[in-house]
Amino acid sequence: MMTMKTIKKAITLALGLVMMGTASFAQSLADAKKAIDAEQYQKATSMLKTLISSNAKDGNNYFYLGNTYLLTDEIDSARAVYTNGIAASPKLALNYVGLGQADLLSKNPTSAKTNFDKAIEMGAKNYETYLYIGKAYLAQENPDYAAALPMLQKADELDSKDKDAETFLALGDFYAMQLTKNSEAYPQYLRALDINPNSTRAIVQIGRMFKMAFSFPDAENKIKEAVAVDANYGPAYRELAEVQMRWADADPKNAEAKRSEALANMKKYLDLTDKSFDSRLRYAQFLVYANDYATLSQEVATLQAPDANNPKTFVVKRMQGYSAIENKDFAKGIQYMNELFARTQDASRIIGSDYLYFGKAYAGSGKER
């Protein structure tokens, strides 16, 4: 028969196991950041909202949630979250950086600088302040390299013990984005790998550099190293697909095999991410390059930009038109191409093949314009 002391001990032990089990499933900011890097934005959003609910005073959670919204083109939502983050954690500079990036994406550089200056005033000794300002200048449609570099260099200086691989990933990206400066990007990615040898993003970025140098076997092998580290890292499959598609274009003998591999890897990328609009758009564009119009017609049938005025809607409309015409649905093709040309706000985006396909649609339908 159990004594009261034994019963209490058993209850305490059971409770402890429950608490341990709960802790093992607890989501952390590091988990959310990993999801963001893996382009699992819906997952990251859910995790960060949970973290905010459990600790409403930690401004870092708001900052990364705001960043996730920016990555999915939800600028107003991001701005609201950063503002809430400032209210929750007034001494944290990062949410002012977030507001500044939202300003840059809204084409308001004056307001962006005001917010960045406020962030520096508050967090002048924190390398992350400069790191994320530098990344914000790079994340625009037209990156401001002149403004980004001193910020990233200051981050490097303040992170004197090389604790954070992100600093060197950002510096590597700064050079790699300029295409002609790959030789300067490479050592920065190696520095990131010195800090974190399993940095899948650093490995993939080096693979991209080989791709840009048309060294396709080296690029493929390098990116496969990232897959070996983390088989669920979606961006690695996207880059692998892009390498293989370029390889197919450059090597007619292996074109069919490489194109087949590329399509399989691009589909895997889509399955491993949260199937956001941007990831689905990448997949659809890839299907155009692969001349797989049957699959494309299925994919673009339900593909819609977050709002009708988004310039990416123009790209979707073009792919809808092209796929309908290639699949000999000329009536639909004419409809989509008329909708494409009706977008006067995107008139500068019209290209010669748009007229060519419009002509094919009318020729196939037997109608005259």
Side-chain angles (χ1 to χ4, degrees):
M1 183 175 179
M2 293 181 70
T3 66
M4 183 59 67
K5 184 176 181 180
T6 305
I7 292 170
K8 286 182 177 179
K9 185 175 181 181
I11 291 172
T12 302
L13 177 60
L15 183 61
L17 289 172
V18 170
M19 294 295 286
M20 286 174 64
T22 302
S24 68
F25 289 104
Q27 296 167 344
S28 69
L29 181 57
D31 294 328
K33 289 166 72 173
K34 185 176 180 181
I36 294 170
D37 183 49
E39 299 178 21
Q40 297 170 332
Y41 300 129
Q42 292 174 9
K43 179 180 177 180
T45 298
S46 177
M47 294 168 76
L48 288 161
K49 285 181 177 179
T50 300
L51 289 169
I52 289 171
S53 295
S54 62
N55 185 1
K57 294 295 183 183
D58 188 343
N60 288 287
N61 296 327
Y62 295 88
F63 174 66
Y64 286 100
L65 179 57
N67 287 1
T68 307
Y69 282 133
L70 290 185
L71 288 166
T72 53
D73 294 323
E74 298 174 78
I75 297 177
D76 290 341
S77 296
R79 202 185 302 277
V81 169
Y82 294 134
T83 302
N84 290 338
I86 290 169
S89 185
K91 294 183 180 180
L92 183 71
L94 287 179
N95 284 298
Y96 284 102
V97 177
L99 286 175
Q101 183 172 352
D103 289 332
L104 286 180
L105 295 176
S106 300
K107 313 294 187 193
N108 192 345
T110 303
S111 182
K113 187 174 187 310
T114 299
N115 279 307
F116 291 154
D117 288 346
K118 178 67 174 176
I120 291 171
E121 177 187 330
M122 296 173 62
K125 295 182 179 180
N126 188 338
Y127 76 93
E128 286 187 313
T129 304
Y130 298 93
L131 170 62
Y132 285 100
I133 293 174
K135 290 177 72 169
Y137 280 122
L138 294 179
Q140 304 174 86
E141 185 178 354
N142 298 305
D144 188 340
Y145 298 113
L149 183 57
M151 295 295 162
L152 297 177
Q153 289 173 330
K154 184 66 175 179
D156 185 5
E157 176 191 325
L158 290 173
D159 184 22
S160 58
K161 294 183 180 179
D162 290 1
K163 296 183 299 180
D164 193 345
E166 285 295 322
T167 304
F168 308 110
L169 284 169
L171 278 163
D173 292 347
F174 168 83
Y175 291 113
M177 289 169 68
Q178 298 177 70
L179 300 181
T180 59
K181 297 187 176 182
N182 273 344
S183 60
E184 294 168 83
Y186 185 63
Q188 300 298 338
Y189 292 134
L190 292 181
R191 289 176 75 184
L193 287 169
D194 284 341
I195 298 169
N196 178 10
N198 290 327
S199 173
T200 45
R201 203 166 84 75
I203 297 168
V204 168
Q205 290 299 88
I206 292 172
R208 288 186 79 248
M209 290 172 56
F210 286 130
K211 177 187 74 176
M212 299 307 294
F214 300 97
S215 183
F216 303 123
D218 289 332
E220 184 181 73
N221 289 335
K222 177 56 68 174
I223 296 169
K224 284 182 177 179
E225 288 180 23
V227 173
V229 171
D230 183 355
N232 293 316
Y233 186 63
Y237 294 96
R238 180 192 67 226
E239 294 300 335
L240 193 56
E242 292 184 1
V243 167
Q244 290 163 339
M245 187 60 76
R246 287 201 182 192
W247 194 344
D249 291 340
D251 183 3
K253 289 183 180 178
N254 292 306
E256 186 175 345
K258 284 300 170 187
R259 189 171 287 113
S260 177
E261 288 180 69
L263 284 167
N265 281 315
M266 201 64 176
K267 182 65 167 62
K268 189 152 191 175
Y269 157 73
L270 188 66
D271 290 340
L272 286 170
T273 60
D274 57 16
K275 296 189 177 180
S276 66
F277 169 76
D278 282 329
S279 62
R280 289 185 65 200
L281 180 61
R282 273 180 178 265
Y283 178 56
Q285 289 173 309
F286 202 78
L287 292 170
V288 174
Y289 301 142
N291 296 318
D292 187 350
Y293 290 102
T295 306
L296 178 67
S297 65
Q298 299 168 18
E299 184 60 31
V300 297
T302 59
L303 186 58
Q304 291 184 331
D307 68 86
N309 291 321
N310 190 312
K312 293 174 184 176
T313 298
F314 180 85
V315 180
V316 174
K317 195 60 61 181
R318 172 184 284 147
M319 289 190 292
Q320 288 174 332
Y322 285 19
S323 63
I325 295 161
E326 288 287 349
N327 289 308
K328 302 189 184 307
D329 187 348
F330 299 116
K332 272 287 185 186
I334 291 170
Q335 175 193 327
Y336 288 136
M337 296 308 291
N338 273 321
E339 291 172 2
L340 181 83
F341 282 98
R343 290 181 62 86
T344 54
Q345 70 269 41
D346 296 314
S348 63
R349 297 171 179 268
I350 294 291
I351 56 178
S353 61
D354 296 333
Y355 294 103
L356 177 63
Y357 269 94
F358 210 4
K360 281 184 177 181
Y362 274 101
S365 69
K367 295 180 180 180
E368 294 183 4
R369 284 193 67 182

